[in-house]
Amino acid sequence: MRDDEASPGRDTPPAIAFAAMDADLARRLAAIVEFSDDAIISMTLDGIVQSWNRGAERLLGYAADEMIGQPIARLEPPHRRNEVAAIMERLRAGEHIEHFETERIGKDSRIIAVSLTISPIRDAKGRIVGVSKIARDISAKKSGEAALRASEQRFRALVDTQVEMVCRFRLDGTVLFVNEAYARAQGTTTDALIGANFWNFVAEADQPGLRESLLRMTPAEPVLRVENRFETRSGTLWTLWTNRALEFDADGRPVEAQSTGIDITQRKQMEEQLRVMDERKTLFLATLGHELRNPLAPLRTGLDLLGQTVTDPAVAEVRGMMDRQVRHLSRLVDDLVDIARINRGRVELRRGRVDVNSVIEAAVELTSAAVDEYDHRLVLELTSEPAWVDGDFDRLTQVVANLLNNAAKYTPPRGTITVSLITSPDDVAVRIEDTGLGFPPHYADSLFEMFAQVPPLERPPGESGLGIGLPLSRQLVELHGGTILGRSRGPGTGSMFEVRLPWPEPAEPAAGLAIAGGVPPGDAHSAAGGRQRRILVVDDNIDAATVLARLLGQFGHLVEVVHDGESAIDLVDGFAPDVVLLDIGLPRMDGYAVAREIRGRPVGKSVRLFALTGWGQEHDKRLAEEAGFDAHFTKPADTQTLLKHIEM
C-alpha cells in the first residue's frame, strides 16, 4: 500500500498530532495509527474526540464521523460516570496513565472491557494541547478471569463442604491452602493458617515416618496412603487416614505436597474397645474352661472308679451313659479353650514327622464310642505306604476326630462313614464322607464360621452343639499350612469334608516336656503287674483329690492327700513319694512354687512331678517345664493315660 493510500475516503488524523513532523513521516505515522488493531483516539483537553481510527470502529462500533467532535464521555457506562473527567484532570497535570482497566459502552450497548493507555499530547513548545488514548479489548481476558474465578469458587465450595481435611504445603512445611474442615479442626480460619507450618500439626512421634514416606515417593508413585495423628493447637490428638500426594516439576523434583485426611479417631477408639472386649471374651473362655475342668475332674475320676467296682448291669449302663456325657462335655470345654488360645495367638504346634495313616487310626479309636452308639458302618481306605506330613500329631488327630464325630452325629443310625487317605504330587488329603443329613450347598462356607450351625430342621432330634468344632478344625488346619472344605448336594444327600495338608520338608520331631494326650486309651493298668507307687496328691478341690486317691488305691498304689502347697512340702520328705500329682492353682503358694521347692530337696532328685491342672495352654505347659515338672495333664485327665505315666 502506498503512503498516499493510507486512508482512502477519510480525513487523515488532525495536524495537531503531527504538526511538528515532516509531512512524509506524518503520513506514515497516520497510516500506522489508522490500521492498528488497537483503538487509537485523540481528544482535546475538554474530552472532545479529534481522531478515530479503524481499530476504534471495530472495538466500539461507531464510525469516525459519528464520534469526531463528540465528547468521549458518551462512552462511559452509568456506573463509571465522571471517570473521564477525573482522567482528563490528571492528564492536564501532565500524568501518563498506563494500562488502566475500565469499561466502555459500544454502539450496540454492549459493555466492553478495555485496557487504556492515556498520554498527554504536547506542541513544539512542550505545552499540553491534547490527549491520546490507546484502547485494547480485554473482554476475552476478563471473561477468562471471571470463568477462572467462578471455577475457583466452585472448587473452593466443593472442597470446603467436604468432611475431609485438605492441606496443600511446600516441602519445607509452608501451608499454601487449607479447606474449612482443616481450619475448623484447628479452631481458626483458613486465612489464619496460610503460611503456617504443616509439620506443627503432625504429632511429633509421627513426623519422622511421614517425612521418610514423602522422600520415598516418586513421579511414578506420587500417592501414598498412611495413618497418622493430627495435633490441634489445643494439643488434642486425632487419628487420620490420609492420602499424601506429591507434585513434581518437569525434571522430576518434588515441589509441593497435599494431604487429604479423614478423621478415624472414633473408629480407632471403637477398634480398641472391640480389641479389649475380644481379649476379655477370650480370657473369659479360658477361665471358663479352667473352672469347668475342675468339677469335671472328680466326675471323670469317679466314673472310672465306679467302673472298677460296680457289677450291677443296670448301674453299669447308667455309668456308661454318664461317662459318654462327661467325655462329650470335656470335648466341648477343650474346644472352647482351644478357640481362646488361637484367638490370642497362643497355640504352638509341636511339629514332627507324622504319618497321616496313624492320625486317622488314632482319631477312629477316639471316636469309636460315637460311631458304635449309632451302629454306623465305618470304612477305612488308607495307604499301604506312610503318608508323612510336618505336623502336630495330637492336633491333627483332634481335627479328624472332630469331623468323624460330626459325621457320626449327623448320620441317622446304621449309616456309612468312609474315611479315605488320598495322596497327590502336591499334598495329602483326608476325605470323610457320610450318608447323613447333608446341608444346603450355600451353607458350605458359613459352617466354618464361629458359632454357625445347620438350621434346626436339618439337624437330628436332640443333637446340637456350640458351633465351634468346624471353625476350630479350620484354624488348626490353616496353622499347618493346609485347607479344609465341606460339600453337600443338599439335605438328605450326605456330606463330604476334606482336609488337605502339604508334603513336609525334612524335620526332626520336637522334644521337651511330656504333654498328656495323644496316647490312645488301652486296657486298664494295674500295679499288680508292676511295683507299687507311693503317690502324693495335692489339690485344693477336696472332691477331686479324694476320688482320685480312691481310684489310684484301687490299682494298688499307696496314696496320701493334702490340699495346699505348705502341707505338701511338710509331708514330702517323710513320705518320700515316687510320684507327686500337683495342682497348679493352689491357695497362697501355687503349684509352680511347690514344684521348685520339692526339686530343691534331696527327695526331689528322684521324684516324678506331674502337673494336674485346669490350666492347659502352651504358656502353662512351658511354666510347668521351667518349674521342674516331668509331665503336664489337663483336667479331666484320661485315667489310662495317667496310669501309664505313673507306672513308667
Side-chain angles (χ1 to χ4, degrees), residues 202-265:
V202 178
E204 186 174 351
D206 295 350
Q207 289 187 23
L210 276 180
R211 291 179 187 271
E212 184 180 347
S213 68
L214 289 176
L215 293 175
R216 291 199 306 267
M217 296 168 70
T218 66
E221 296 183 358
V223 178
L224 179 70
R225 291 177 176 83
V226 295
E227 185 180 296
N228 69 271
R229 288 170 295 173
F230 170 82
E231 187 170 3
T232 68
R233 291 185 173 186
S234 63
T236 303
L237 279 178
W238 295 6
T239 302
L240 300 184
W241 177 244
T242 60
N243 281 352
R244 306 282 179 192
L246 207 55
E247 183 178 320
F248 296 84
D249 63 16
D251 296 324
R253 292 173 299 198
V255 289
E256 290 182 9
Q258 181 167 305
S259 170
T260 304
I262 299 174
D263 180 16
I264 59 170
T265 307

Side-chain angles (χ1 to χ4, degrees), residues 273-285:
Q273 291 172 359
L274 288 173
R275 187 197 65 77
V276 171
M277 290 173 63
D278 188 63
E279 180 69 17
R280 288 174 179 170
K281 177 204 70 176
T282 303
L283 181 60
F284 167 75
L285 290 177

Side-chain angles (χ1 to χ4, degrees), residues 97-136:
I97 302 173
E98 193 169 348
H99 302 307
F100 173 76
E101 292 186 0
T102 185
E103 294 171 323
R104 294 294 180 256
I105 299 177
K107 185 177 181 179
D108 58 2
S109 300
R110 286 185 306 115
I111 299 295
I112 303 167
V114 294
S115 173
L116 299 180
T117 300
I118 306 174
S119 304
I121 299 174
R122 300 178 185 273
D123 62 12
K125 294 182 179 180
R127 293 173 298 184
I128 299 173
V129 294
V131 178
S132 71
K133 177 189 294 184
I134 300 174
R136 177 167 294 176

Side-chain angles (χ1 to χ4, degrees), residues 296 320-331 373:
L296 279 173
M321 176 271 295
M322 293 176 65
D323 183 65
R324 287 193 299 274
Q325 296 304 320
V326 168
R327 289 179 183 274
H328 176 63
L329 183 56
S330 298
R331 284 197 301 271
E373 181 182 355

Side-chain angles (χ1 to χ4, degrees), residues 416-493:
T416 299
I417 301 172
T418 303
V419 184
S420 306
L421 179 57
I422 305 165
T423 60
S424 73
D426 298 322
D427 51 32
V428 178
V430 178
R431 183 177 298 165
I432 298 176
E433 299 173 275
D434 61 56
T435 57
L437 297 180
F439 52 85
H442 63 274
Y443 273 88
D445 293 329
S446 62
L447 285 176
F448 293 96
E449 300 298 327
M450 189 66 67
F451 308 123
Q453 295 181 335
V454 176
L457 292 179
E458 294 154 14
R459 296 203 303 265
E463 292 293 354
S464 62
L466 297 178
I468 61 177
L470 289 177
L472 173 61
S473 296
R474 181 181 66 176
Q475 294 185 55
L476 289 174
V477 169
E478 289 176 349
L479 286 174
H480 283 82
T483 59
I484 184 172
L485 60 84
R487 293 287 182 268
S488 176
R489 293 191 301 276
T493 63

Side-chain angles (χ1 to χ4, degrees), residues 43 45 84-97 118-122 128 130-133:
M43 300 169 291
L45 289 176
V84 171
I87 291 172
M88 298 305 289
E89 185 65 30
R90 293 166 60 189
L91 288 169
R92 280 193 287 269
E95 186 177 345
H96 175 79
I97 302 173
I118 306 174
S119 304
I121 299 174
R122 300 178 185 273
I128 299 173
V131 178
S132 71
K133 177 189 294 184

Side-chain angles (χ1 to χ4, degrees), residues 375-566:
D375 198 20
H376 294 315
R377 175 173 171 260
L378 183 64
V379 179
L380 298 181
E381 298 176 351
L382 307 183
T383 59
S384 57
E385 298 294 329
W388 299 107
V389 297
D390 177 23
D392 184 320
F393 179 88
D394 290 339
R395 291 301 190 180
L396 292 177
T397 301
Q398 181 181 359
V399 170
V400 178
N402 269 346
L403 298 178
L404 278 172
N405 271 320
N406 276 358
K409 181 165 51 173
Y410 291 106
T411 299
R414 292 175 296 282
T416 299
I417 301 172
T418 303
V419 184
S420 306
L421 179 57
I422 305 165
T423 60
S424 73
D426 298 322
D427 51 32
V428 178
V430 178
R431 183 177 298 165
I432 298 176
E433 299 173 275
D434 61 56
T435 57
L437 297 180
F439 52 85
H442 63 274
Y443 273 88
D445 293 329
S446 62
L447 285 176
F448 293 96
E449 300 298 327
M450 189 66 67
F451 308 123
Q453 295 181 335
V454 176
L457 292 179
E458 294 154 14
R459 296 203 303 265
E463 292 293 354
S464 62
L466 297 178
I468 61 177
L470 289 177
L472 173 61
S473 296
R474 181 181 66 176
Q475 294 185 55
L476 289 174
V477 169
E478 289 176 349
L479 286 174
H480 283 82
T483 59
I484 184 172
L485 60 84
R487 293 287 182 268
S488 176
R489 293 191 301 276
T493 63
S495 304
M496 185 279 290
F497 287 86
E498 186 173 88
V499 174
R500 306 191 77 88
L501 300 168
W503 289 106
E505 297 292 335
E508 294 297 326
L513 175 68
I515 306 300
V519 180
D523 296 332
H525 285 255
S526 171
R531 185 170 63 86
Q532 181 190 60
R533 302 293 191 267
R534 299 172 65 83
I535 303 173
L536 175 60
V537 176
V538 187
D539 197 327
D540 62 331
N541 186 320
I542 297 175
D543 289 339
T546 302
V547 73
L548 178 59
R550 288 181 180 175
L551 177 64
L552 294 174
Q554 287 289 325
F555 287 92
H557 299 297
L558 180 61
V559 185
E560 288 285 346
V561 176
V562 294
H563 303 299
D564 60 76
E566 292 91 339

